[in-house]
Amino acid sequence: MSAMQNKSDKTFLRAPTIKDVAVRAGVGIKTVSRVLNDEPNVRPQTRERVLAAVGELNYRRNTIASSIRRRDQRTASIGLVVEDLANPFAARLTRVVQDVAFQQSHLVLVGSSEGVAEREHEIVGEFCSRRVDGLIIVPSGTDQSYLRVEHTHGAPVVFVDRPGRRIKADTVVSENASGVAEAVRHLVRHGHSRIAYLGDRQSVYTAAQRLSGFRSAMAECAGGADQRHIRTGLRDGAKAYQATLDLLGQRPAPTALVCGNNIITMGALHAMQQCGVREHVAIIGFDDLELADLLQPALTVVAQDVAALGTEGARLLFERLKHPTAPYRRVTVPVRLIARGSGEIPAPSGREGR
Amino acid sequence: MSAMQNKSDKTFLRAPTIKDVAVRAGVGIKTVSRVLNDEPNVRPQTRERVLAAVGELNYRRNTIASSIRRRDQRTASIGLVVEDLANPFAARLTRVVQDVAFQQSHLVLVGSSEGVAEREHEIVGEFCSRRVDGLIIVPSGTDQSYLRVEHTHGAPVVFVDRPGRRIKADTVVSENASGVAEAVRHLVRHGHSRIAYLGDRQSVYTAAQRLSGFRSAMAECAGGADQRHIRTGLRDGAKAYQATLDLLGQRPAPTALVCGNNIITMGALHAMQQCGVREHVAIIGFDDLELADLLQPALTVVAQDVAALGTEGARLLFERLKHPTAPYRRVTVPVRLIARGSGEIPAPSGREGR
DNA sequence: TTGTAGGCGTTATCAA
DNA sequence: TTGATAACGCCTACAA
């Protein structure tokens, strides 16, 4: 009935339970439970005996068994859904979320939605099956209302990078529009007016926001955006590469590019390299890249504060867990233009050159 | 006693249970369980009724409750410990591990050890508390024998990137030594003999392996390595930067650098940029970098097949779960030298130049 | 200060 | 084919 082998026995069948500890310490299971949970009313002497037994048996509390019984049903775990864990943005986000969670004694389950709504839904479903205490989601698709149903088990949600749709929840986003607008103004200051924009699908919130920042800044200080210089729907580097080749082949060609995310920036850089225009066409990317400062010319970017996005997201989640009925909050994280060279290439002189 | 509200009721207190489903379908709980677990001996008609009730109540199986009762105690989750989730190597590894796990209907818990043995131990402890079915670990420190004790609950371990110490387990590693040796031969073929090596702490398995590959290749075809041109213990980019500046300041200076990992490569590149020697000193990095091909000159690397490391690691783990007593296996994943320019810079002529 | 009984949501047993 | 009941490891309630 109880674990009959000691820890050096290779045929050990199951982990020791609170019962095994109780037997060994010669106390009742409730006393063991009290010790494990730092509850009062245990004689120091008894506590010692229990702790000794715990050590000898190498007992470790079965957290998941405990969670099904405890009043709040908390599992001390949270779920994180990003588009692609291998993407540097998601990787940095995951790291900071995990750091905050670990400080709060929580573990993190991760999943990649690949930007597919169904997959996001599926992953969230699995997380809820594991009864995570909360969710941090970089949402895909156009409808997160399915989460209202998942809410039945009480797991709060925080959206990071993009707000969820058709549902209210705590949210952390970057200053997308004003960040891109700043990039445009920066280019205009360096003499550009034929500025092109390359972005992701408009159904992605950040993509829409960034394009809107582009349009308004162009309207404000460059006489409006040229529709032929706007390319959206660029889901991967290859698409961005093609679109950039296409833009650079136009006459008149744009003298500067603004890229909506780091994948697109990489595609555009490859295309520019291919055409040999790295030194002549200005480019500013949204979101920083490792090695950006080693490129020639070095890459000017609108850097997101990924650490802040993640930390704030996790913080909002843990505060929500403490105060379930508090009003929802939306945090906006500033972005920062980092001038490194590629965004300071001047527009060719001779008015509208070429 | 049972969930009294329907799914649109905001005051819903708890998730529906198998009991609620049973009541609604007018069957016993065991029948519901049979349907949920695809067990035989359920009339199709009954099955339909149960599934209908599941849909109406929006029931979702409580996986953690199920795991405490099932014979094998499986939780359908695995734990992954890497050094730093934000590192591109770890991020790609996490992604593929998660993909394989998800295919196998398992979720992944993640943790960053930061290369600190105590933290690794602590994270593994938490994972075991959650009764993960298995562990994939990029080990830190010099002793993973503590895992033998964690084994009491039966979770097998697979080591990835580096073998564990003082414990036997399935392992997946890259061809570290021969990869670096190939880099050295490549440089020698381009006329180099004063080749420097920059590496991590020797206590890190991969670092030791790579340095040993360096030494043996140098002995074999460049008359042996010059001790002054070997720098180890470089834990971060800043240290690598300093070490590189130092090496480049020597007289005679090395004409080529071999870098032991991607963090070191980045530090070295910054230092070379700083000294204006990017075009004159050859460099080959271990592990590929995003944008490596956009640098000028583009970066020659010994690329690890991170996807294979992760896939093989996960595959070994799931096979171990199926066959707990099979002999341990060690898989070696080939690396590949990708010549892009920086490794093909010829040694300065005039015999021992400068 | 300590222990016993009961229950969490599920799966396992075994009888109907 | 079906279901009542026990059991998993733990926490809660309550009694001693």
Side-chain angles (χ1 to χ4, degrees):
Chain A
M1 280 303 124
S2 65
M4 287 168 297
Q5 296 85 355
N6 68 38
K7 61 188 167 182
S8 64
D9 189 337
K10 304 304 198 224
T11 65
F12 203 96
L13 287 173
R14 51 179 201 64
T17 73
I18 201 173
K19 209 167 164 183
D20 300 317
V21 176
V23 170
R24 179 154 196 124
V27 299
I29 57 168
K30 178 61 208 183
T31 302
V32 178
S33 177
R34 269 191 268 265
V35 172
L36 295 176
N37 294 300
D38 282 317
E39 286 173 34
N41 295 332
V42 179
R43 231 188 321 162
Q45 194 180 339
T46 313
R47 161 167 267 111
E48 286 311 312
R49 280 226 308 288
V50 170
L51 290 177
V54 164
E56 289 157 20
L57 292 174
N58 218 283
Y59 169 82
R60 193 187 300 284
R61 193 228 304 290
N62 183 333
T63 314
I64 76 178
S66 103
S67 81
I68 83 163
R69 184 56 187 131
R70 61 180 345 113
R71 176 171 307 295
D72 55 15
Q73 297 256 109
R74 291 282 170 87
T75 56
S77 61
I78 65 172
L80 171 65
V81 185
V82 297
E83 277 208 3
D84 174 11
L85 271 168
N87 181 298
F89 170 83
R92 285 178 285 163
L93 191 72
T94 305
R95 175 61 148 96
V96 294
V97 164
Q98 196 253 123
D99 284 345
V100 175
F102 206 74
Q103 279 168 21
Q104 307 274 344
S105 308
H106 281 238
L107 292 186
V108 181
L109 286 162
V110 293
S112 297
S113 69
E114 302 184 59
V116 178
E118 291 70 30
R119 204 172 146 84
E120 170 189 318
H121 194 146
E122 189 185 2
I123 293 167
V124 167
E126 286 303 322
F127 286 176
C128 289
S129 256
R130 296 314 186 290
R131 296 298 188 266
V132 292
D133 295 340
L135 293 159
I136 296 180
I137 303 180
V138 177
S140 303
T142 55
D143 187 356
Q144 273 69 42
S145 62
Y146 70 89
L147 284 163
R148 263 197 294 270
V149 176
E150 306 295 354
H151 267 66
T152 48
H153 100 257
V157 181
V158 174
F159 293 110
V160 170
D161 189 45
R162 318 162 186 166
R165 317 258 177 112
R166 303 169 141 270
I167 186 170
K168 278 194 194 307
D170 296 304
T171 304
V172 187
V173 291
S174 277
E175 277 185 334
N176 293 296
S178 64
V180 171
E182 190 180 346
V184 169
R185 285 193 296 269
H186 188 78
L187 290 167
V188 169
R189 250 178 265 130
H190 287 84
H192 295 275
S193 60
R194 288 204 309 276
I195 305 172
Y197 181 83
L198 298 111
D200 198 347
R201 295 184 309 211
Q202 284 303 96
S203 61
V204 176
Y205 169 85
T206 46
Q209 290 291 299
R210 290 169 197 171
L211 177 54
S212 120
F214 178 79
R215 283 194 204 279
S216 63
M218 287 298 283
E220 178 194 309
C221 54
D226 182 337
Q227 197 56 40
R228 292 166 308 165
H229 289 166
I230 292 179
R231 297 298 159 92
T232 61
L234 311 173
R235 271 268 86 185
D236 53 52
K239 288 242 170 58
Y241 176 83
Q242 271 308 325
T244 307
L245 286 184
D246 202 49
L247 283 168
L248 293 174
Q250 294 184 353
R251 290 294 173 272
T255 63
L257 308 179
V258 175
C259 298
N261 66 39
N262 56 10
I263 303 289
I264 291 172
T265 304
M266 288 193 281
L269 285 171
H270 278 110
M272 290 172 73
Q273 189 97 328
Q274 178 72 28
C275 300
V277 300
R278 277 301 317 279
E279 319 233 321
H280 309 112
V281 174
I283 177 170
I284 298 183
F286 202 98
D287 205 11
D288 208 355
L289 288 172
E290 250 170 356
L291 296 191
D293 56 337
L294 284 174
L295 297 174
Q296 309 241 332
L299 186 68
T300 294
V301 298
V302 177
Q304 297 195 78
D305 190 344
V306 185
L309 280 173
T311 317
E312 281 299 304
R315 208 175 53 76
L316 284 180
L317 182 59
F318 286 108
E319 290 193 4
R320 170 69 50 205
L321 285 169
K322 283 198 202 83
H323 311 290
T325 57
Y328 292 121
R329 291 195 278 173
R330 185 193 188 101
V331 174
T332 304
V333 175
V335 298
R336 188 168 117 254
L337 190 135
I338 304 177
R340 295 199 182 105
S342 74
E344 293 73 49
I345 294 172
S349 54
R351 201 78 190 90
E352 295 280 306
R354 234 171 180 169
Chain B
M1 280 304 119
S2 67
M4 287 168 296
Q5 296 85 355
N6 68 39
K7 62 187 166 185
S8 65
D9 189 337
K10 305 304 199 225
T11 64
F12 204 97
L13 287 173
R14 52 180 201 64
T17 74
I18 202 171
K19 211 167 164 184
D20 300 317
V21 176
V23 169
R24 178 154 195 124
V27 301
I29 57 170
K30 178 59 205 182
T31 301
V32 177
S33 177
R34 268 192 269 264
V35 172
L36 294 175
N37 294 300
D38 282 318
E39 287 172 32
N41 296 331
V42 178
R43 232 187 322 161
Q45 195 180 341
T46 314
R47 161 168 268 110
E48 286 311 313
R49 281 225 310 287
V50 170
L51 290 176
V54 165
E56 289 157 19
L57 292 175
N58 217 281
Y59 168 82
R60 192 187 301 283
R61 189 234 260 38
N62 183 332
T63 314
I64 76 178
S66 113
S67 81
I68 83 163
R69 180 54 196 156
R70 64 181 338 118
R71 179 173 304 295
D72 57 15
Q73 297 259 102
R74 292 283 170 86
T75 56
S77 62
I78 64 172
L80 171 66
V81 185
V82 297
E83 276 208 4
D84 174 10
L85 273 168
N87 181 299
F89 171 83
R92 285 178 286 163
L93 191 73
T94 305
R95 175 61 147 95
V96 295
V97 165
Q98 196 254 123
D99 284 345
V100 175
F102 206 73
Q103 278 168 23
Q104 307 274 345
S105 308
H106 281 240
L107 291 187
V108 180
L109 285 163
V110 292
S112 299
S113 69
E114 302 183 59
V116 178
E118 291 70 30
R119 204 172 146 82
E120 170 188 319
H121 194 147
E122 188 185 4
I123 293 168
V124 167
E126 286 302 322
F127 286 175
C128 289
S129 255
R130 303 290 153 46
R131 297 300 190 264
V132 292
D133 296 340
L135 292 160
I136 296 180
I137 303 180
V138 177
S140 303
T142 55
D143 186 356
Q144 273 69 41
S145 62
Y146 69 91
L147 285 163
R148 263 197 293 269
V149 177
E150 306 294 353
H151 267 67
T152 47
H153 101 258
V157 180
V158 174
F159 293 110
V160 171
D161 189 44
R162 318 162 185 165
R165 317 258 178 111
R166 306 171 140 268
I167 185 170
K168 277 194 194 306
D170 296 304
T171 305
V172 188
V173 291
S174 278
E175 277 184 334
N176 293 296
S178 64
V180 170
E182 190 180 344
V184 169
R185 284 192 296 270
H186 188 78
L187 291 167
V188 169
R189 250 179 266 128
H190 288 84
H192 296 275
S193 60
R194 289 205 306 277
I195 305 173
Y197 181 82
L198 297 113
D200 199 345
R201 294 185 308 214
Q202 284 303 95
S203 61
V204 176
Y205 170 84
T206 46
Q209 290 291 300
R210 290 169 195 170
L211 177 54
S212 118
F214 178 80
R215 283 194 204 277
S216 64
M218 287 297 284
E220 177 194 311
C221 54
D226 182 337
Q227 199 56 38
R228 292 165 308 163
H229 288 167
I230 293 179
R231 297 299 159 93
T232 60
L234 311 174
R235 270 267 89 185
D236 54 50
K239 288 242 170 57
Y241 176 85
Q242 272 308 325
T244 308
L245 286 184
D246 202 49
L247 283 169
L248 294 174
Q250 294 184 354
R251 290 297 173 269
T255 62
L257 308 179
V258 175
C259 297
N261 66 38
N262 55 12
I263 303 289
I264 291 171
T265 305
M266 288 192 283
L269 286 171
H270 278 111
M272 291 172 73
Q273 189 98 327
Q274 178 72 28
C275 300
V277 300
R278 276 303 315 280
E279 319 234 321
H280 309 113
V281 174
I283 177 170
I284 298 183
F286 201 99
D287 205 11
D288 208 355
L289 287 172
E290 252 171 353
L291 296 191
D293 56 339
L294 285 173
L295 296 175
Q296 309 238 330
L299 185 70
T300 293
V301 298
V302 177
Q304 296 195 77
D305 190 344
V306 185
L309 280 173
T311 316
E312 281 300 304
R315 206 176 54 77
L316 284 181
L317 182 60
F318 286 109
E319 289 193 5
R320 170 70 48 204
L321 286 169
K322 283 199 202 81
H323 311 290
T325 57
Y328 291 121
R329 290 196 279 172
R330 183 192 189 103
V331 174
T332 303
V333 174
V335 297
R336 189 168 117 253
L337 190 134
I338 304 178
R340 295 198 181 105
S342 74
E344 294 73 48
I345 295 172
S349 55
R351 202 76 188 90
E352 296 280 308
R354 233 170 182 169

